[in-house]
């Protein structure tokens, strides 16, 4: 089950390493298309993970898990052979649908298989895998992409997924089913609302924030989220009852989880390009370059419960956000001349925050729903994670693009209007490459600073809400 988690979460991170290759490939994607290549998988993953958990509850968690692995392999194969951007996006969507069926049912299978006294440790281990999966995706993706083509990343996933499916078929126990109906309309509205929101954010820098497509995206998001809320409130068996968020502890934990993954995957998106463009690392070294982030996760996850018992949930979450936000702001001070050990130290600081947050917030969400809805509960956790990841990539990609374009030399900007480093390097003389890289580093620094400050502000809101809810009891 943990290997399945690492696979589907690792794919979220690994694709970031391929962004420079994709930008320079014969697909010729625009800056917004690059963001969509990363985010299409995450959007379908985030929005369908609750239906995936509910489907497991109703039709059998093992069967839905196997179906998800099959879709994951098919989507990866389609991505590997894609001749153009639309086909690649379709492959990413299919892979995301498969991941949505896989992730919640891994936890549901585990919670069914282990005795009650081990469920707390099991949840903490599973939650840690989601963090480790991001780092494994970077390191493993770097090794695969060292072969010279972004297609290797998707091609290698296919046999790996088949092997995992064989192990699941042989080992995973069959769990009881329930007859909860699936709200397909609710799922469709949630996907549409999320795509509309991200469309508005992604297209802003290229189309203009007052352009019809951007305004339509934001307006559509408001309308569809409103319709989704109405549909779910009226449904006899909603996939995700909006009334659940009346529980302050659940609301706070979900916002906290979204924020942590917002920061972590925003970092993954920028880190890959920064180390390749700014530091001159090859793709393998870039993948390995994120490893310091995982050191606290590997060494410290088992001790987080002890800290929670000693200082309390609120204090632990507050410390987590301070480390994560300050680590991102520290990383924003890096440039091409910054020694890698200094950069790595800030990665460790960020990793400490992630380590403290994941098991603490996961336990808070899991404890808010009854055992019969274990799949939906796991889906809620995954939704907050993946939606935070998609939003982080979208926001940091948007800020990075806008600042990069503004920092380019005026003549390059005026004559060619490039929106990616690859586009700028393709139309400028080799001797001016350092100016393009400098503009990118400026954009990356600004983007990381925006994300770091956002994590601190949102973290303060999470802790404040949790404290106020406890004080009013």
């Amino acid at each position: 089950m943990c290997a399945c988690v690492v696979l589907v979460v690792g794919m979220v991170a690994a694709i970031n390493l391929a962004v420079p290759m994709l930008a320079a490939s014969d697909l010729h994607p625009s800056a917004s298309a690059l963001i969509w290549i990363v985010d299409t998988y995450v959007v379908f993953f985030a929005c369908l993970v609750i239906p995936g958990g509910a489907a497991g509850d109703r039709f059998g968690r093992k069967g839905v898990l196997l179906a998800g692995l099959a879709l994951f392999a098919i989507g990866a194969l389609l991505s590997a052979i894609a001749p153009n951007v639309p086909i690649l996006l379709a492959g990413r969507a299919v892979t995301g649908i498969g991941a949505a069926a896989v992730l919640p049912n891994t936890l549901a299978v585990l919670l069914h298989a282990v005795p009650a006294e081990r469920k707390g440790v099991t949840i903490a281990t599973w939650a840690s895998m989601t963090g480790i999966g991001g780092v494994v995706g970077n390191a493993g993706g770097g090794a695969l992409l060292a072969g010279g083509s972004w297609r290797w990343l998707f091609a290698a996933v296919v046999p790996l997924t088949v092997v995992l499916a064989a192990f699941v078929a042989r080992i995973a126990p069959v769990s009881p089913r329930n007859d909860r109906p699936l709200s397909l309309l609710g799922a469709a509205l949630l996907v549409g609302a999320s795509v509309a929101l991200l469309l508005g954010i992604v297209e802003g820098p290229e189309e203009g924030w007052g352009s019809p497509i951007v305004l339509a995206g934001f307006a559509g998001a408001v309308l569809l989220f409103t319709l989704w809320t109405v549909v779910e409130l009226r449904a006899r068996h909603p996939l995700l009852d909006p009334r659940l968020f009346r529980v302050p502890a659940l609301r706070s934990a979900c916002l906290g989880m979204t924020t942590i993954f917002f920061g972590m995957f925003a970092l993954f998106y920028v880190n890959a390009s920064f180390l390749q463009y700014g530091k001159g690392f090859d793709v393998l070294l870039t993948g390995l370059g994120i490893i310091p982030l995982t050191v606290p996760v590997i060494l410290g996850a088992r001790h987080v419960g002890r800290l929670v018992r000693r200082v309390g949930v609120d204090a632990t979450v507050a410390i987590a956000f301070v480390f994560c936000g300050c680590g991102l702001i520290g990383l924003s001070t890096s440039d091409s001349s910054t020694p890698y050990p200094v950069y790595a130290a800030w990665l460790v600081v960020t990793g400490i925050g992630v380590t403290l947050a994941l098991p603490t917030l996961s336990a808070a969400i899991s404890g808010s729903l009854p055992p019969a809805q274990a799949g939906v509960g796991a889906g809620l956790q995954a939704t907050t994670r993946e939606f935070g990841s998609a939003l982080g990539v979208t926001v940091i990609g948007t800020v990075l693009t806008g600042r990069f374009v503004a920092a380019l030399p005026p003549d390059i900007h005026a004559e060619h209007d490039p929106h990616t480093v690859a586009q700028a390097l393709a139309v400028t003389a080799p001797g001016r490459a350092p100016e393009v890289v400098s503009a990118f580093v400026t954009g990356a620094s600004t983007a990381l600073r925006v994300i770091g400050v956002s994590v601190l502000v949102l973290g303060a809101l999470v802790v404040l809400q949790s404290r106020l809810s406890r004080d009013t009891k």
Side-chain angles (χ1 to χ4, degrees):
M1 295 303 104
C2 287
C4 290
V5 172
V6 170
L7 174 67
V8 298
V9 175
M11 183 56 76
V12 182
I15 188 63
N16 296 306
L17 291 171
V19 167
M21 283 187 180
L22 284 162
S25 71
D26 55 1
L27 300 183
H28 304 297
S30 64
S32 60
L34 285 173
I35 297 175
W36 281 116
I37 290 170
V38 175
D39 261 358
T40 298
Y41 172 81
V42 188
V43 168
F44 279 86
F45 193 174
C47 296
L48 296 180
V49 76
I50 289 179
D57 289 342
R58 183 174 184 184
F59 301 115
R61 292 152 187 171
K62 181 176 181 177
V64 174
L65 175 54
L66 287 170
L69 288 170
L71 284 174
F72 195 89
I74 293 170
L77 180 61
L78 183 60
S79 299
I81 63 175
N84 52 48
V85 170
I87 299 297
L88 177 56
L89 292 177
R92 296 287 286 161
V94 173
T95 313
I97 294 169
V102 169
L103 188 63
N105 289 294
T106 56
L107 181 58
V109 166
L110 286 173
L111 292 179
H112 171 70
V114 302
E117 63 271 15
R118 290 191 55 81
K119 287 188 177 181
V121 175
T122 299
I123 291 171
T125 303
W126 181 88
S128 297
M129 289 304 105
T130 61
I132 291 173
V135 178
V136 171
N138 275 281
L144 292 170
L145 291 168
S149 172
W150 57 269
R151 297 182 188 274
W152 282 103
L153 178 63
F154 300 108
V157 166
V158 178
L160 179 59
T161 306
V162 171
V163 170
L164 281 176
F167 273 104
V168 169
R170 181 180 178 85
I171 296 171
V174 176
S175 58
R177 307 179 184 186
N178 63 44
D179 58 355
R180 287 178 59 85
L182 299 178
S183 175
L184 298 179
L185 177 58
L189 288 171
L190 186 58
V191 171
S194 301
V195 170
L197 174 62
L198 299 181
L199 176 69
I201 299 174
V202 169
E203 298 297 334
E206 290 194 14
E207 301 293 334
W209 293 103
S211 64
I213 188 172
V214 172
L215 295 178
F218 289 134
V222 172
L223 175 61
L224 291 173
F225 274 124
T226 302
L227 289 175
W228 171 79
T229 302
V230 171
V231 167
E232 291 292 87
L233 286 174
R234 292 183 176 180
R236 185 174 179 183
H237 298 286
L239 284 173
L240 175 59
D241 191 340
R243 285 175 288 255
L244 288 174
F245 294 104
R246 292 176 181 173
V247 180
L250 179 63
R251 187 170 63 241
S252 177
C254 287
L255 176 59
M257 190 69 78
T258 300
T259 302
I260 287 294
F261 275 76
F262 172 84
M264 184 164 64
F265 279 83
L267 169 61
F268 287 159
Y269 185 80
V270 165
N271 171 79
S273 296
F274 173 78
L275 291 182
Q276 290 181 69
Y277 290 134
K279 302 295 290 181
F281 285 17
D282 61 29
V283 69
L284 178 57
L285 281 179
T286 298
L288 297 175
I290 198 69
I291 285 180
L293 180 73
T294 194
V295 173
V297 178
I298 295 173
L299 299 181
R302 69 183 68 179
H303 305 295
V304 174
R306 193 180 309 159
L307 178 64
V308 172
R309 290 190 295 272
R310 184 169 183 176
V311 304
V313 172
D314 291 339
T316 303
V317 171
I319 295 169
F321 280 115
V322 168
F323 271 93
C324 191
C326 291
L328 291 168
I329 293 173
L331 287 165
S332 74
T333 64
S334 302
D335 57 27
S336 300
S337 63
T338 301
Y340 175 73
V342 175
Y343 188 82
W346 286 117
L347 288 175
V348 171
V349 171
T350 307
I352 292 172
V354 172
T355 302
L356 293 174
L358 290 183
T360 307
L361 296 171
S362 291
I365 296 174
S366 294
S368 302
L369 292 172
Q373 290 183 266
V376 175
L380 178 57
Q381 292 200 45
T383 295
T384 56
R385 286 179 165 90
E386 302 312 321
F387 188 76
S389 301
L391 197 58
V393 169
T394 301
V395 171
I396 202 166
T398 298
V399 175
L400 172 60
T401 299
R403 188 69 186 95
F404 166 69
V405 171
L408 282 171
D411 59 322
I412 296 177
H413 183 197
E415 293 176 16
H416 306 287
D417 193 28
H419 282 74
T420 69
V421 177
Q423 290 173 352
L425 292 176
V427 296
T428 57
R432 303 195 67 184
E435 297 176 68
V436 174
V437 171
S438 177
F440 169 79
V441 171
T442 299
S445 297
T446 301
L448 281 171
R449 196 171 301 115
V450 168
I451 297 297
V453 171
S454 298
V455 167
L456 289 175
V457 172
L458 291 171
L461 291 175
V462 169
V463 175
L464 178 61
Q465 177 181 240
S466 181
R467 294 289 298 176
L468 289 176
S469 66
R470 295 176 193 276
D471 291 342
T472 55
K473 288 183 178 180

